[in-house]
Amino acid sequence: MPTKRKYVSPRREQAAAETRAQILQAATRLFAERGYGRVTVADIAAEAGVSSKAVFASAGSKGDILNEIVDTAVRAAGDEQAVRAVLAERDPESALGALARGTRAGNEGLFTVHEAIHKALPSHEDGEALWERATADYRAALRTAAHHLHTLAPTGRPEEETADLLWFWFGPGGWRTLVAENGWSWDRAEAFLLRTAVATLRTP
């Protein structure tokens, strides 16, 4: 007896994907505004314009939703593109300029997502692991940039120290401190961080 093939409706699949995206966007906004611990599934449902049942069916629990937000941030960060731009430069100052532009683009474009993750850390059951997962590729990209800088202009400073400094300046904390906490424009923050990095790394 022939097996019945399950009918898959492209329109239904598209509607489900749109609902899921809507839920994730609503959750990201709420986590960024209020913090993960202060947001309920009912809040997410209301913000997305769906039922709580639809949230669970489409995106899972609140923890599942946060995990998807982290995975989205990692996929969309553009770390590889930023690294390629840095490696294409043949002098340290130009390489740092490319790094400043690349990290700014990632942080500015994903600002709400980064805020959602940042504000989730204090109340998340495993915030440290969450942060490590969210930033592992970012850190690796800055280590690659540090290695390239040492290849272009070796100094007496250990390469690991240069990578730490790049994280201090161009990691998410540096951008957030200036833009979110102190109200700087992205242009001003980029110019300052680049200027500071160039001046410091010129000094052995």
Side-chain angles (χ1 to χ4, degrees):
M1 185 174 178
T3 306
K4 267 192 174 182
R5 284 198 295 177
K6 188 177 178 182
Y7 174 70
V8 178
S9 165
R11 185 175 297 177
R12 187 176 297 170
E13 284 191 339
Q14 182 180 351
E18 288 173 355
T19 298
R20 179 179 173 81
Q22 194 174 332
I23 290 167
L24 292 172
Q25 288 167 6
T28 301
R29 285 194 300 272
L30 291 176
F31 291 164
E33 290 169 6
R34 304 181 195 172
Y36 174 80
R38 296 181 178 180
V39 175
T40 66
V41 169
D43 293 331
I44 296 169
E47 181 77 5
V50 300
S51 66
S52 295
K53 184 177 178 181
V55 172
F56 282 111
S58 181
S61 67
K62 196 170 77 163
D64 293 332
I65 291 170
L66 181 59
N67 281 329
E68 181 61 29
I69 290 171
V70 170
D71 290 340
T72 299
V74 171
R75 289 193 300 269
D79 296 326
E80 291 182 5
Q81 183 179 349
V83 168
R84 284 197 299 271
V86 171
L87 296 180
E89 299 296 344
R90 306 320 304 167
D91 70 86
E93 190 164 338
S94 298
L96 285 168
L99 186 61
R101 289 189 299 274
T103 55
R104 175 210 169 145
N107 281 276
E108 186 175 11
L110 292 169
F111 181 75
T112 303
V113 173
H114 288 174
E115 281 294 283
I117 297 169
H118 175 81
K119 290 184 179 179
L121 300 179
S123 58
H124 192 271
E125 57 273 15
D126 199 359
E128 186 176 344
L130 184 77
W131 183 242
E132 286 177 1
R133 183 157 61 90
T135 59
D137 289 349
Y138 199 151
R139 279 189 175 274
L142 293 183
R143 285 195 295 270
T144 300
H147 178 72
H148 184 58
L149 288 167
H150 277 252
T151 301
L152 295 176
T155 68
R157 179 181 289 108
E159 192 174 302
E160 283 184 12
E161 183 177 309
T162 299
D164 290 343
L165 289 171
L166 294 181
W167 179 255
F168 177 70
W169 295 315
F170 300 117
W175 292 105
R176 188 177 189 281
T177 296
L178 295 178
V179 176
E181 296 180 3
N182 291 287
W184 286 33
S185 70
W186 289 97
D187 285 341
R188 184 185 176 194
E190 180 183 342
F192 173 77
L193 291 171
L194 175 58
R195 190 166 60 246
T196 305
V198 169
T200 305
L201 295 179
R202 275 180 182 161
T203 307

